[in-house]
Amino acid sequence: MAKREIITIPDPLLREVSAPVERVDDDVRRLMDDMLEAMYEAPGIGLAAVQVAVPRRIVVVDTAREEEERNPLFLVNPEIVSLSDEMRPHEEGCLSIPEFYAEVERPAACTVQFLDRDGKPREMDCTDILSTVIQHEVDHLNGVLFIDYLSRLKRDRVIKKFVKAKKAEAPA
Ligand code: NI
């Protein structure tokens, strides 16, 4: 398995719209395995392919708690087809915005259609944290980050911090 680095803001790739996958083949499955490994290592509960610098519509998710058995989900070309009116607040983080957390309100339930690991069309009803994660990851495929839901002041402050940090580590 190839080790994949997770990119962070302000990498402009994170703002790109990812391209649909035409066929779920072994290359796609290998990429998903790499993504899963990078996600577990980070550790995180969701990862979009664009976060490992591959702007294609692929997401891996595992919301199992540490003491629970692993339960990976693989979603290709995920599309949210319905959202609840009821909202749910959650303190979100993102592997591409390390060590920053903020509360975001999203629909408490959603239904997502996608192709699974074998390329089979599937539909899944999501609630609680899974609803939050799925919406967060599908946002990534459209170049949207959870900080976009914060006030401009808060968002700009976070971005500035990362720009500064990157400048500091770049060779003169
Ligand atoms: Ni994220």
Side-chain angles (χ1 to χ4, degrees), residues 14 46-48 51 92-97 106 133 136-137 139-140 144-146:
L14 290 167
L47 192 72
Q51 295 181 271
E92 293 190 27
C94 180
L95 295 177
S96 293
I97 312 171
R106 299 181 189 263
V133 177
H136 175 123
E137 299 311 327
D139 271 354
H140 271 299
V144 175
L145 301 170
F146 85 95

Side-chain angles (χ1 to χ4, degrees), residues 10-33:
D11 192 315
L13 200 53
L14 290 167
R15 290 308 191 174
E16 269 186 33
V17 175
S18 294
V21 173
E22 278 172 26
R23 210 164 62 90
V24 183
D25 56 16
D26 284 344
D27 285 343
V28 169
R29 278 185 281 273
R30 214 162 309 153
L31 172 63
M32 291 194 289
D33 289 338

Side-chain angles (χ1 to χ4, degrees), residues 16 31 34 37 43 45 50 58 75 94 112 133 157 160:
E16 269 186 33
L31 172 63
D34 291 347
E37 191 186 64
I45 57 175
V50 67
I58 302 168
L75 300 92
C94 180
V112 62
V133 177
R157 201 184 293 149
K160 221 188 250 172

